[in-house]
Amino acid sequence: MFDAENPLTQAAQEQMQSLYAAGWEAYQDTQWLRAAEIFGKALEIAESINDIRKIVLYRFWRGSSLLQAGKLRQALAVLTPTLKEGTTGGDADDIYNTLATYIEIAQDLPVNLGAIEKAFQQTESFLRNSGNLDWRHRLLLLQATLSKLRGMYPEALAAAQESWAIWQDKYPVYIADAHLNRLVEISLLLRDAQQAQMYLWEWEMDEHDTIPKTRERLSCSRQSDLARLEGRFTEAVDWARRAMLVDNSDIDTLILMVRTFLCMGDNHRARDELIRLLAHRHAETGHYRYYIRLLWGDYHLACARQAAGMPAVDDVFGLEFPPPSAIANPAATRYALARARRGYRAALKVGSWIDEKLQCSLRQNEIYERLARVEAIEHQFYSLPGRAW
Amino acid sequence: MVEPLEQFKMETNFEGLIQLLAKSLYPEPDVFVRELIQNGHDSIVRRQEVEPDFAGRIDVELHSSRREIIFRDNGIGMDRQDIKHFLSVIGSTGTGTARKKLTEEGRAAAYNLIGQFGIGMLSAFVVAEKVVVRTRKLKEKQAFAWHNTGSTDCILYADNRKEIGSEIIVSINPEYTFMLDEKRLREAIVKYCDFVQFPISLNGQGPVNTVLPPWYREHWPSQAEKEATYRQFLNRRYPDNALDLIPVEINEPFQARGVLYISDNRVADFNSTGVVDIFVRRMFVRVGDNTILPPWAKFVRGIIDSPDLQPTAARDNIQRNNPAFEFLQKRLGELIVERLSYLAQKEPNKFKQINIWHHYHLKGMALFYDDFFEQVAELLLFQTNVKANNGLMSLQEYLTKNRSREDKAPIYYFAYMGAAAQFYKLADARGWVVINGGGRFEEELLVKYGKRHHRTVHLERLDATDDAELFQRLGTTEAEKFRQLELDLERGLRVSGLTNVLVQMRRFEPKELPSVIIVSPETEAEEKLRNLVIQPWFMAGMEDVAEEALKQGQRRPIYLSLNANNPLIQRLADIERRSDLVKEVMLGVYNSAILYSHNLLNQYNAEVMHGQFVRLFNRLIEHQAEASELEKELEAERGQKIELQKKQVETTAKQPDHILIFTIAPLSEEYKPLEEAVRRVFERPPYCFEIKSAQDHTYKAGLLENVREHLLCAHGFIAEISDLNPNVMFELGAVMLPDDSRQIFSLRSQDARQDVPADLKEKLFVPYGSIKDPVETLEAAIRKAFERDGRIVHDGIQALLEKRQKRFLSRTLLEGLRRTRLESNEIASLMKEYKTVEDLLAAEPAEVVRKRGLPEFVILGLQGELRGISEYV
């Protein structure tokens, strides 16, 4: 039994407190695994003195650190003991955080839409029962993320805006950067550069507490995206490099870097970063598995364009696809197109699986669009006199 | 105020009520045996208060024919007043009244009385149609007989009974005839009244009860005898065997006596309990009580007798909201732990035996009950890699041995029983003691211990960590060297369907281990999650997420660490790995790691392994067949080679149609006469052989090559061995070694000093006088060896003659012709054109004239003389 008066308990509390501080420091420094390890040690001590409140708290932070590190199933295993029916003895905010993290993991894997929605209902029900509906902004942001993942961008924007509107800088909360990042991201997906720019300005002006490294990385990344949308590819590369300076192992940042290099037509450098990305091709996060394969296809498509003597194109925002006028190096083009097709086939496999889970066709459409571009170049071969495919 | 209409008493159906009460109170029909014997016991105790040395006894008699069971005691008995006040009033107890009086007087006997409620006689009416009590009280002259048929009507008679005491005659109802069986009655007496302090006889035989259980015996000659007696007692009473005894002797504040024992009966059921038979004041109350022992004591059984426990009215159970019960429950738990501690310290073998036998309950209970955990966690034995004590070691001992210089002592363990071989080897190589935490509850127990003692110990799970100390990383250059091997092995495994194996190069000891498999933290997390998802408390809304996450994670990664120290791995890294055989070897590396960590041996792995074995067996058989085939081919090729060699010989040094004898003699002028003698013998009729020495003709430039060609061409050999000249012996050896049945003759002067080698003695040995003899003498000596009386007597020469197709046209032959005298140059000219006599004879004289320029008449004369030689031959 937990005995607050016991001198041993008091010593343990002090030890836990210092571990918690160290864990939080590592978390802010984006050393996720280190943070998870430290929170794990604090959790062990909390369990040894049966301090339920602290157990729930440290479980959440350990789970959250593991989630950030991409260890989704480990995070689930850590968080699950908190998810008990009825009273658990933990604070409501920590339990809410745990539930929200569970939903994040569900979306990252992803699991069936039905299961995710059930988790949303459960969390909403928890908020209602605990009388904390003012914490709903966190759940709304998660809903925005889910809509974004399903390709429902207007719905995603609405949810993200509502979430930001009712957001209060009071625990439990996602930091302001998470909200603003999502708002910019969705605006860009809606090709609304003006709105994206507006949120980026708001972000610049924001003075709420934050995790500096995360803010720097996310804002630079979105600036890079906006630059790409507006066709300012050199700036896009610069912003992506700034994001890389903050954390050069983050998968999102690596994807961004490759994407900007491809836009610039710097396939050689894109390839170097892509090879680093390939180490994550078995990531637990299903979306990463998809993006890496898609990017592999995009890289080869970019190589094909280069070999064919065509200008570089941004395959994400580049809506106007210029038809090839001549094939400079047919053999290299043919080879790269074959590789691109193979990459897209692999991406389609993962993408279809995710689409099926999330009941949408976002990724399949994306791949079909890419394949159309491949076919356009292949078609050019047929149309050229004296060329045989 | 409302006035009552009528006031009346409720009526009862007494007979029905008695039956109902009796049957409700006493669900077992044989309980009346206990109750009536207990009445007798209390009666005797009360008599002993008056007559302290009085020897009490209780007799039970069975009269099956009369359907009666009689319970007789020589206790204090009853007078008319007792019968009316106690026997005839339900709930009125003479014993209770007596106890109160004795207690007030401070008499010890109060403690021994059993009866409490005055309802014991009711139990007789469960089985009886009539009960008669004949009794005479101590110091009373009149005896009485009380008759009751289970109704409100009791009849009291004066009785002629002489003895002091009581006799209860129970007439059994036909429904309970089975109670009239002596065996059954005996069992009931033993079951309920085994420890009653007065002897109980049945039909005059007995006592049938134990009377004095071992724990009431005060003096023991030795501990061994005490233990033997206890064991004997338990063996008689219980079917299982005692692994260890725990005598119960509790005196304050509540009393209890008895014995607990650690049973060899092992029920691996979490819901099983430790059970105890409970007696109160020697009278049986309850069999197999599962509440008085602590819940963790599942491996313990026993029997206790406590006067402080309170039976229920039915006397088939005890009251639990009783301070004595709570005290005893706690104290019995302490006794068990004390005994286990004692065994761990003083009798380690017995403790080990108990640990092995009851590990499921000992460890499980330690995990679930904190109080038990605190007491025994450090005593429990775990399997380790140490050689002593079958590898069993307690945490206490482990920590003493593994005490680190650091603040925290490490506890190394692994959680999969099947991985023991692998981790024992790894730990042995590092000099670590590692705990096999793969048994039920063991890992959880270690983790619990680690948490409780996080200040002094830290747990290190070897099978879920890629610990850099255990598995050293390779330097960049070295890692680069092995990188391709990692990729090739991963690719090979992928082809075999093992898509989740990640290969990594490490350096670890022992070097004999080529690879090990490490379970990833992801795997461990999945296992934990799997256990959590099935918990009943899990939030319904979230379980789908967890379950699907688990489903998606079916192909969790397995890390195959290759050992850079291992010679096989080093060789694999160096060789070309494209061949099927090398691919099989690489798959074998994985399979051997799986075998060492066979907890990972799932159906798929087993299929892969089986497939590989079959392929390797087939390959072995194919190799065997190939080897046989190759041997045959090799043999054939050898034959072909020999043939080719022969052909080569034939092409380069073809044997002539005439017989060629090669002479092997020292290169010295002094041997010329001997050579001349040989020529005279063999180049002339009847032989007409060619006698050739190495200097006669040069086939090839090299000395040896030239000699070899000569040797190959010859049909036979003549060697001069008098001086055992080295060159001669060398050539002779070369001739003899092939053993190709060609004739060899040796010439030896009689003045030769050295002995002839044994091998040569077998060959024809031709003696001659001396090398200095004239040619004619030498010729005669040689001829003598082959001819006798003008006939050829030597088989070897005969064989050569038979083989001869043509006769050699030698100078010696032509010079020796009697009629045709030829000039030396003419002879040379003829010999150049015609090798054999037959060739010359076949030639047209005109042609010979044309070719050689000799006069035709000479040719005709020559051919005529040569034909004469032929006829002569």
Side-chain angles (χ1 to χ4, degrees), chain B residues 45 127 209 344 354 413 421 444 476 530 553 585 650 729 768 832 865-866:
Chain B
V45 169
V127 295
N209 61 331
I354 291 168
Y413 76 103
E444 293 95 326
T476 316
R530 213 175 291 283
V585 171
E650 281 168 10
M729 300 313 286
Y768 62 92
K832 194 173 179 185
E865 190 166 2
L866 286 173

Side-chain angles (χ1 to χ4, degrees), chain B residues 248-257 327-328 331-332 335:
Chain B
V248 178
E249 289 168 17
I250 303 169
N251 294 315
E252 285 186 342
F254 301 100
Q255 275 190 29
R257 291 281 186 281
F327 169 80
L328 287 179
R331 184 67 193 124
L332 290 176
L335 278 178

